Amino acid sequence: MLDLSPIKLSNAQIAWRAAQDIEDGAYVNLGIGFPEMVAKFQPEGREAIFHTENGVLGFGEAPKAGEEDWDLINAGKKAITLKPGSAFFHHADSFAMVRGGHLDVAILGAYEVAQNGDLANWSTGRGGVPAVGGAMDLVHGAKRVAVITDHTTKKGEPKLLESCTLPLTGVGCVTRVYTSLCVVDIEDGHFVLREKLPSISVEDLQSVTGAVLVIKGPVSDLVVPEV
């Protein structure tokens, strides 16, 4: 089995890379857990407007330890701060924003992503955490759906597959995947390789991917800072 641990990106670095593609002024929902890190890495001169399913729009960075106001939380029950112009609204109104197509981007985690854009990102295991939550609405309500994930499972098995084996969150909904090794777009039912770590060959990357990586034009180096 190929040992990727010395070269692969950290979760923070994957989140940083995904943040670079969020346009200024975009309305964005970040999935619970790992995807929440994306909010830390907004490029200078750009400002995203973050939405949370429990009814807040325009929240800011997490407060410092000891300064939390536990009446102000996101959907993952983590403390947030407010920016000028932040808004509160009913849970039903929040989902009306999602279902009405008012979000530009949703960035979610994944257990599996299929080459046709199918997504499996919720657990049916013991305790059922994370449960599906609002993800089924997000993947079909947001104008663009991206996934951030380690390239393989903890056992070294591929997470990018020909078809998902776990219960689906959404069908044909993902358009871009940011992994610990590469960036791929999903086009015409295939994973199209756009960027990869310069320290891994295309052949080695293919060996840890469960579907064919299609190459259309030059593949850029995936270069991220230490964050």
Side-chain angles (χ1 to χ4, degrees), residues 110-111 120-133 166-169:
Y111 290 125
N121 84 331
W122 62 290
S123 172
T124 56
R126 189 172 182 177
V129 178
V132 69
L166 296 172
L168 295 184
T169 307

Side-chain angles (χ1 to χ4, degrees), residues 20-52:
Q20 307 315 297
D21 289 342
I22 299 175
E23 296 181 352
D24 186 38
Y27 290 87
V28 182
N29 184 287
L30 303 175
I32 293 171
F34 170 24
E36 294 172 336
M37 297 178 70
V38 173
K40 299 179 181 179
F41 302 116
Q42 293 181 78
E44 186 174 352
R46 284 189 241 166
E47 182 176 5
I49 302 161
F50 291 107
H51 165 276
T52 179

Side-chain angles (χ1 to χ4, degrees), residues 6-29:
I7 64 169
K8 71 178 185 178
L9 301 181
S10 67
N11 283 359
Q13 288 175 313
I14 302 169
W16 179 91
R17 176 61 190 86
Q20 307 315 297
D21 289 342
I22 299 175
E23 296 181 352
D24 186 38
Y27 290 87
V28 182
N29 184 287

Side-chain angles (χ1 to χ4, degrees), residues 4 10 29 58 61 102 108-109 120 133 137 155 160 164 177 191 199 217:
L4 303 171
S10 67
N29 184 287
E61 297 180 358
H102 302 292
L108 304 172
D137 296 280
K155 295 180 180 179
L160 274 59
C164 293
V177 184
F191 291 119
S199 53

